[in-house]
Amino acid sequence: MFKGEIRKQSPKNLLLLFQILALLLLLAYEQMHADKMIFIMAMGLILIIYLSNYLLIKISSGDNYIFLIVTMLITIGIIVIYRIDEKLGIKQLTWISLGIFLFFLVYFMVKRLKKIDDWLYLYLVLAYLLFIITFAFGDRKFGAINWVSFRGFAFQPGEITKIVLIFLLASYYSNTEKWRHIKYSSYYIMGVVYSFIALLFLQKDLGTALVFYIIFASIQFIYEEDRKLILYNIGLFLGSGVLGYVLFDHVKIRFQAWLNPWIYIERQGYQITQSLFAIAEGGFFGKGLGMGHPDFVPVVYTDFIFSAICEEMGIFTGIGIVMLFMIFVYRGFKIAISQENRFYRILAIGISTLFGIQSFIILGGVLKMIPLTGLTLPFISYGGSSILSSFIALSILQICSEDMTSREDTDE
Amino acid sequence: MYSILALIFKYIFIIVIYLFIFSIIRLIYLDIKSMDAISFEDRAYLKLINRKDSLPFKIDEHYIIDGDIKLGRQNNNDIVIKDQYVSKEHFQIVEDEKEYYLEDLESVNGTYLNGDKLYDIVKLKDGDIIRIGKIEFLFVNRE
């Protein structure tokens, strides 16, 4: 029994070892212009991560692997971001600390809330409100209107809408008896989701539109009783995909840059070809941190972080990241299977699908397996709203992993 | 100087990342293994006789008796069963020198051992059937 207790600690200690080694390397890298501030901050983050991993086992009766996996992903991400741009690295440190704080805040708050599965209309209003905010105050950045600036603080409402969508779908499909008296209620919910997708399409945010569609399709596939709706959904998706390709130029450009980026190497294909060069340059073990040229790839710190990781830390680290995501998504579905409460079960499915499909789309795009659409790699890419919303989703997954049946009637 | 360090560290990083992944996979593997087939060989346990899906509340197929255990509806029990026929604290099994004793904790609906209502502490033997409400457990102790 005691032996098992020690062994259970081992991944946590390996994570700590990894972080300390990275810090040592940083020390060697920075020896000429040593800045004490960054070391204190990095040490602080390591301490926060270690403590939260330790505390979470005590606080939560649920899964204790997902947070561990996420902290590993975050560590790899921040090392590479700091190496690309020191200022961004320091900012990312702050975002992550804030994210972990938010994780615990949401964890305690949402756990207290009762009847959150009844607030369907609230989620609906919230989602449309976030879209209105984006359209009213949005800025165009990298070809898509998905940024809202507020007093010099920019965020992407789309990141939050993803979570609201999962809540909306979970709230609908967990109370099908309640909605049955409304005729064609499933058609209405499909219409609502398609209106979201159309709005995202207008913002030219194709990646997020695809994520929305796949989350909806997977939850619908599992829970919809009217099976022919699923066929309609697939048909409609294929139809609108073809229509989008014919009508909109930005879709066509993405598609052509994917089929043959080499003819467009100067413009549309530049990013993807540079990314391929960077990955090829890294080889199996990489060039070593600080020895490559990840800055050749445009916006490498968000969408293309994976190619920077492959260049400097090797394709083995890249495979490691894919494996970490796979274990993470597997844990998510495992949580969904063992959860008895239907609402939380759908939430767990939605969140696992979100992380799985988002990392699949961007990794596939960077490797030129599928057409490239701008998305962040969850937990690794630089970005405040991406990190914060990912931590909120993780926190909800943590709640889902707990046994809800024993919680409902504790106060009898 | 730094380039040599970077060269060494890249291999170390990869090794540590993979050790991390494998330690997590191992833990998950152990977790799954313990779920569907714990080795019951040398331990005493309670086995559910009812079909699990016929009962409308959360219940496990097996409960290992590790020391003294208490069964009841309240969450602080070792075995929590949210059935209306189960009292807040229903019965307990006490271990004493490799022997197990069953005691009813003044439950409302009573505990039945092999069909007879329990009034005081009884020593359990392998194959005994414990019934509360409509739930039936088989006591297994193969020493």
Side-chain angles (χ1 to χ4, degrees), chain A residues 60-279:
Chain A
S60 167
S61 58
D63 192 287
N64 41 39
Y65 301 109
I66 48 173
F67 195 80
L68 207 59
I69 296 167
V70 160
T71 42
M72 187 63 175
L73 289 172
I74 272 176
T75 312
I76 298 173
I78 192 140
I79 290 168
V80 176
I81 290 167
Y82 186 81
R83 182 256 166 275
I84 296 165
D85 191 332
E86 289 176 20
K87 282 203 187 87
L88 284 184
I90 293 168
K91 268 191 186 165
Q92 180 81 341
L93 268 176
T94 348
W95 284 125
I96 290 172
S97 319
L98 214 68
I100 293 174
F101 172 71
L102 207 63
F103 172 85
F104 284 105
L105 193 73
V106 171
Y107 175 78
F108 287 115
M109 269 172 54
V110 176
K111 222 177 139 177
R112 291 273 147 74
L113 293 176
K114 299 211 161 160
K115 301 243 170 210
I116 44 173
D117 51 331
D118 268 348
W119 300 347
L120 184 91
Y121 292 110
L122 179 80
Y123 302 135
L124 202 64
V125 171
L126 202 65
Y128 280 117
L129 206 68
L130 283 164
F131 275 114
I132 292 169
I133 290 172
T134 321
F135 274 106
F137 309 103
D139 299 330
R140 189 171 286 272
K141 210 171 180 180
F142 308 127
I145 321 171
N146 47 16
W147 287 86
V148 172
S149 293
F150 180 72
R151 292 184 186 171
F153 171 80
F155 74 103
Q156 278 181 293
E159 297 280 349
I160 307 295
T161 327
K162 274 184 233 171
I163 300 169
V164 178
L165 172 80
I166 295 169
F167 269 91
L168 177 75
L169 289 174
S171 150
Y172 173 73
Y173 279 110
S174 59
N175 292 315
T176 34
E177 295 81 26
K178 192 180 147 192
W179 301 105
R180 190 166 286 155
H181 67 273
I182 305 172
K183 237 183 171 185
Y184 302 123
S185 59
S186 286
Y187 288 81
Y188 291 138
I189 208 85
M190 196 162 143
V192 166
V193 175
Y194 267 88
S195 75
F196 291 163
I197 293 172
L199 286 168
L200 284 167
F201 218 77
L202 287 177
Q203 294 173 12
K204 300 198 179 180
D205 196 351
L206 300 180
T208 315
L210 200 59
V211 169
F212 270 52
Y213 173 76
I214 291 172
I215 291 172
F216 174 60
S218 56
I219 293 175
Q220 192 193 38
F221 181 75
I222 299 168
Y223 284 102
E224 182 56 60
E225 281 162 22
D226 191 355
R227 302 307 286 181
K228 65 178 184 297
L229 242 145
I230 295 156
L231 279 179
Y232 293 161
N233 193 11
I234 294 169
L236 216 60
F237 175 70
L238 290 177
S240 57
V242 172
L243 210 69
Y245 178 78
V246 178
L247 288 180
F248 295 100
D249 267 349
H250 60 274
V251 183
K252 210 182 266 177
I253 289 167
R254 294 278 169 97
F255 202 74
Q256 283 165 346
W258 167 62
L259 278 179
N260 192 352
W262 308 103
I263 11 176
Y264 306 102
I265 193 161
E266 259 136 42
R267 289 184 58 240
Q268 299 98 325
Y270 183 73
Q271 213 176 11
I272 182 79
T273 44
Q274 287 302 322
S275 153
L276 291 177
F277 287 141
I279 293 166

Side-chain angles (χ1 to χ4, degrees), chain A residues 278-310:
Chain A
I279 293 166
E281 191 63 29
F284 282 125
F285 295 99
K287 294 290 250 180
L289 274 172
M291 313 298 282
H293 294 282
D295 41 334
F296 287 175
V297 188
V299 283
V300 67
Y301 44 86
T302 58
D303 299 5
F304 279 83
I305 189 105
F306 188 71
S307 43
I309 291 170
C310 283

Side-chain angles (χ1 to χ4, degrees), chain A residues 332-352:
Chain A
F333 281 116
K334 172 87 200 320
I335 287 168
I337 288 168
S338 46
Q339 176 58 262
E340 314 230 326
N341 183 313
R342 194 162 156 146
F343 177 72
Y344 288 98
R345 178 183 279 199
I346 301 173
L347 277 186
I349 293 171
I351 291 167
S352 329

Side-chain angles (χ1 to χ4, degrees), chain A residues 286 289 316 330 403 410 412, chain B residues 2 10 18 32 58 73 75:
Chain A
L289 274 172
F316 276 133
Y330 154 75
D403 189 1
T410 36
E412 60 178 333
Chain B
Y2 173 73
K10 71 184 189 191
Y18 275 80
I32 294 168
K58 193 174 159 62
R73 191 154 41 89
N75 284 323

Side-chain angles (χ1 to χ4, degrees), chain B residues 39 51 55 83 91 105 109 115-117 129 131 135 143:
Chain B
S39 58
R51 269 186 56 225
L55 300 172
D83 183 19
F91 69 67
L105 296 170
N109 294 305
D116 302 323
K117 192 162 182 183
I129 292 171
R131 184 169 69 82
I135 311 163
E143 287 271 347

Side-chain angles (χ1 to χ4, degrees), chain B residues 66-109:
Chain B
D66 205 5
D68 301 349
I69 58 162
K70 222 183 246 181
L71 180 145
R73 191 154 41 89
Q74 238 166 25
N75 284 323
N76 53 1
N77 289 294
D78 303 292
I79 304 174
V80 182
I81 294 173
K82 303 270 177 191
D83 183 19
Q84 51 176 332
Y85 294 106
V86 176
S87 300
K88 281 179 181 165
E89 289 187 336
H90 203 105
F91 69 67
Q92 65 175 352
I93 296 175
V94 184
E95 187 194 352
D96 186 30
E97 293 178 346
K98 304 242 168 177
E99 301 285 1
Y100 295 89
Y101 299 91
L102 176 67
E103 183 186 7
D104 187 76
L105 296 170
E106 292 171 352
S107 61
V108 180
N109 294 305

